[in-house]
Amino acid sequence: MIKKAQLPLQTMNLVLGFMVWVIISALLPFIREDISIPADRLAILTAIPVVLGSVLRLPLGYYANVLGARIVFIASFILLLFPVYFISTATSFTHLVIGGLFLGIGGAVFSVGVTSLPKYYSKEKLGLVNGIYGMGNVGTAITTFAAPVIATQIGWERTVQLYLILLLAFAVLNVFLGDRKETKVKTPLMEQIKGVYKNDKLWYFSLFYFITFGSFVAFTVYLPNFLVTNFELAKVDAGMRTAGFIVVATFLRPVGGWLADRFKPLFLLMGVFVGLTIAAIILAFSPSIGLYTVGCLTIAVGAGLGNGIIFKLVPLYFNKQAGIVNGIVSMMGGLGGFFPPLMLSFIHSVTGQYSIGFMALSQVALASLVIVVWMFYQDKLAVSSEVFNSTGQGILVTDLSGKIHAVNPAFTKLTGYTEEEVIGKNPSILKSGRQSGDFYSTMWAEIKERGSWQGEIWNRRKNGEEYLELLIINAVKDDAGDVIQYVGTFSDITNKPTNDRYGGGSSKLKSSPQLQG
C-alpha cells in the first residue's frame, strides 16, 4: 500500500511546493499597496524565488536517491516554514527579496519526485508517470487564482500565513505515508556528474526544458502584473487568466508523457517547437487582448506537452543515470524561468515594449526545432549503424572504382583483416585464385542487368587459410537511378552441407570481380 501511495503523495507534495513557490508573484499587486517597490525591480522580485528553486534541484534530486524522497520532502516543508512566516511580516523590499530567495525550496522539490518515482514503475510507463507527477505544477495555478481572492477578504499577510498550516500538515503526512524502504543509491554526486556531462544529449534536453518549463514559469510570474499594467485588468481577473494558462499547461503535461509512451518523442517535440515559435511571433506584435490570449494559450499547450515529452526522453537515453540527469535538466528548466522575466523587464525599460523579447523566444524555439530534427535523423542513422555493426554477416561497401569504403566488425572476424588494413584497397586482397576470369564477366553482366548477384566463392583469410563463403552483391542507386556504391554481404559456409546453404537449394555462381578481385 505504501508503494502505491507514492505517486499521489509525491504529486500532492509537488502541488504544495509550487503553491508556496509563487506566493510573492501571485500577491504582488496587494503587496505593492503596503510596500514601496520600484517598477524596475518588480522583475527581480518575481524572479528571485526561481534562482534557488533551480539551483537546489540538483542536490535535492541527489539526496532523494541517498536518503529517500520521504526525508527530503519532510525536511523541505519544515525549512519552508521560516521564509513563509518571514514574508508574512515583511515591511520592505529587502525583506521580500530575502524571503523570496528561500521560497525557492518549494520549486526545487520537483527533482525529488522525478528521481524517486521511476523506482516504482517500468520504463514503458515513465512518460505517463512523470507527466502525472508534473501535474503538481497546478500548485502555481491554485495560488495564483486563490491567493488574490483570499487576500481581498483577510489581507495578504494572513493569506501567506495560511501556508504555514499546509506545510505542517504535509510534513506530518509524509512522516506516516512516505516510503521508509525506498531503494537508496549512494554513488557520489561528482562521480554521477562526470558520467554524463560529456553527453551532448544531456545539454540538448537541458536546452529544451530550459525553453518549455522556462516558458511556463516565466509566464506564471510575469502575467499577473503584466495583465494589470498593460491591459488594465482587475487583479482578480488577471489572476484567473494566469491560472487558466497554468491549468492548460499543467494538465497537458501527462498528455505529453502519455503520447511519448506511444509515439516517437522527438517527432512530437518538433510539433511543440513549431507551436512555440509561431506563438512567440504573435506575441511579439503586441496584439489585442484576444490575440494575446491565443498566443499565451499556444505557449501553454507547447510548454505542457513539451515538459511531459522531455521527461520521457531522459530515461530513454539515460537509463542508468536518470536520477542525476533529471536533476540537471530540471535545474536548467528552472533557470529558464529566471532569465526571461529579467530580459523582458530590461528590454521594456529600454524600448518601452516587449516585442524584441518575444521575438528572441521565437528564435530560440526555432533553433531548438532545428536541433530536434537533427537528433531525429541522427537516431535513424544510429539505428542503421547499429544494424551494420551488430549483424553476424560480414559486410563491405565499395565505391564505383572498386575501393573499399566501409566494413563491419563481422568482416574482421571472418577475414582477419582490420578496418584500417582494408579501407581504400581493392577486395582482391581476399582473392584465393580459384575463380576464372571468364566467370567474372558473366557475373558482372548479371549485376548490371538485375542490380544484384548471389553465389558461392572461395576466398582467403589474412592468415592464408581458404574458406568458402556465400556472397550477395547489391548495387546501391541514388534518387536519379544511378549506381553509387556496391554492398557485399557474406558468411562462411565452408563446413555446411551443400543442401543447407540456400535453405535446400544451391548455386553454380562462384565469384565477383569487383568485390572479390
Side-chain angles (χ1 to χ4, degrees):
M1 288 295 294
I2 290 295
K3 290 185 177 181
K4 290 182 179 180
Q6 295 314 297
L7 179 56
L9 175 64
Q10 294 190 30
T11 301
M12 291 305 299
N13 287 340
L14 184 61
V15 170
L16 178 59
F18 272 51
M19 286 174 63
V20 174
W21 198 21
V22 295
I23 288 175
I24 291 179
S25 62
L27 293 174
L28 193 56
F30 295 89
I31 296 173
R32 291 185 68 188
E33 293 176 357
D34 295 330
I35 300 176
S36 176
I37 304 173
D40 59 347
R41 295 188 179 183
L42 287 174
I44 296 176
L45 186 58
T46 57
I48 280 294
V50 181
V51 178
L52 202 61
S54 303
V55 175
L56 279 183
R57 288 185 173 191
L58 186 57
L60 257 62
Y62 170 72
Y63 282 108
N65 259 336
V66 175
L67 304 173
R70 174 177 174 271
I71 297 298
V72 178
F73 274 123
I74 293 171
S76 298
F77 292 152
I78 291 175
L79 288 173
L80 279 169
L81 293 171
F82 299 98
V84 170
Y85 179 76
F86 186 71
I87 289 171
S88 72
T89 61
T91 57
S92 68
F93 174 76
T94 303
H95 290 166
L96 293 173
V97 170
I98 295 173
L101 177 64
F102 289 98
L103 285 184
I105 298 172
V109 297
F110 174 82
S111 63
V112 179
V114 293
T115 301
S116 171
L117 290 173
K119 300 173 184 177
Y120 301 94
Y121 297 90
S122 64
K123 186 176 180 180
E124 292 74 21
K125 296 181 179 179
L126 291 185
L128 179 60
V129 169
N130 280 331
I132 292 173
Y133 174 72
M135 287 179 65
N137 290 353
V138 78
T140 57
I142 294 173
T143 288
T144 303
F145 170 75
V149 175
I150 298 173
T152 59
Q153 303 299 317
I154 64 175
W156 67 268
E157 298 94 338
R158 289 187 178 181
T159 301
V160 172
Q161 290 173 1
L162 290 177
Y163 286 83
L164 297 173
I165 300 173
L166 290 173
L167 288 168
L168 284 171
F170 269 79
V172 173
L173 193 64
N174 279 272
V175 170
F176 292 103
L177 295 182
D179 186 6
R180 290 178 169 85
K181 299 180 180 180
E182 178 182 336
T183 303
K184 309 298 193 301
V185 180
K186 298 185 178 181
T187 306
L189 180 60
M190 291 310 298
E191 184 176 327
Q192 292 186 45
I193 293 175
K194 288 179 181 178
V196 298
Y197 81 94
K198 291 184 179 180
N199 192 318
D200 291 342
K201 289 184 175 62
L202 166 65
W203 304 112
Y204 293 148
F205 295 160
S206 295
L207 171 63
F208 301 156
Y209 202 58
F210 182 93
I211 296 169
T212 57
F213 186 73
S215 298
F216 169 78
V217 175
F219 274 74
T220 297
V221 301
Y222 140 89
L223 276 177
N225 194 65
F226 176 84
L227 293 175
V228 171
T229 304
N230 289 270
F231 291 106
E232 299 181 350
L233 299 180
K235 289 177 285 190
V236 174
D237 186 14
M240 291 181 65
R241 289 173 181 268
T242 304
F245 171 91
I246 296 168
V247 168
V248 171
T250 297
F251 282 94
L252 283 178
R253 184 165 187 152
V255 175
W258 178 80
L259 290 172
D261 281 336
R262 286 156 178 76
F263 304 100
K264 295 180 179 178
L266 289 177
F267 189 76
L268 295 172
L269 209 53
M270 292 181 202
V272 166
F273 286 120
V274 168
L276 290 177
T277 301
I278 295 173
I281 291 174
I282 292 174
L283 295 177
F285 286 94
S286 301
S288 63
I289 186 64
L291 276 177
Y292 197 88
T293 300
V294 172
C296 286
L297 289 177
T298 305
I299 294 285
V301 171
L305 292 175
N307 291 340
I309 294 167
I310 291 167
F311 277 97
K312 170 65 177 181
L313 285 169
V314 170
L316 280 181
Y317 288 90
F318 298 92
N319 187 28
K320 296 181 180 180
Q321 306 100 346
I324 188 66
V325 174
N326 278 328
I328 295 173
V329 172
S330 62
M331 177 183 72
M332 296 302 294
L335 290 175
F338 173 70
F339 291 105
L342 295 181
M343 181 184 71
L344 286 172
S345 178
F346 173 75
I347 291 173
H348 186 266
S349 66
V350 174
T351 66
Q353 55 186 350
Y354 294 96
S355 299
I356 296 177
F358 289 123
M359 282 303 296
L361 172 61
S362 72
Q363 297 309 299
V364 175
L366 182 60
S368 298
L369 172 63
V370 173
I371 294 174
V372 175
V373 172
W374 177 81
M375 287 182 64
F376 182 78
Y377 285 102
Q378 281 293 109
D379 276 3
K380 295 183 69 174
L381 291 175
V383 171
S384 300
S385 177
E386 181 65 24
V387 172
F388 181 80
N389 290 324
S390 64
T391 182
Q393 289 185 310
I395 303 176
L396 69 158
V397 182
T398 73
D399 58 22
L400 293 179
S401 67
K403 291 182 179 180
I404 297 176
H405 177 70
V407 297
N408 71 339
F411 174 93
T412 299
K413 183 178 180 180
L414 290 168
T415 67
Y417 287 98
T418 64
E419 182 180 8
E420 292 76 13
E421 291 175 322
V422 298
I423 296 297
K425 296 184 179 179
N426 193 282
S428 61
I429 61 173
L430 302 173
K431 186 175 181 181
S432 67
R434 294 196 183 193
Q435 283 67 236
S436 66
D438 291 338
F439 171 74
Y440 292 138
S441 300
T442 303
M443 183 275 300
W444 198 244
E446 184 175 334
I447 294 177
K448 290 185 176 181
E449 179 182 351
R450 299 182 180 181
S452 64
W453 177 87
Q454 176 175 303
E456 296 178 2
I457 179 174
W458 284 94
N459 268 339
R460 192 188 306 274
R461 307 186 205 277
K462 182 180 178 181
N463 63 7
E465 176 187 356
E466 293 185 355
Y467 66 99
L468 183 65
E469 71 179 29
L470 173 60
L471 174 66
I472 301 173
I473 304 172
N474 288 293
V476 180
K477 299 181 180 181
D478 60 16
D479 292 338
D482 297 324
V483 176
I484 56 174
Q485 288 178 326
Y486 296 99
V487 177
T489 60
F490 64 94
S491 55
D492 186 347
I493 58 171
T494 307
N495 298 318
K496 289 186 178 182
T498 302
N499 61 352
D500 288 343
R501 295 173 188 169
Y502 299 91
S506 64
S507 172
K508 295 181 180 180
L509 297 176
K510 294 182 179 179
S511 178
S512 157
Q514 191 80 341
L515 286 170
Q516 302 299 330

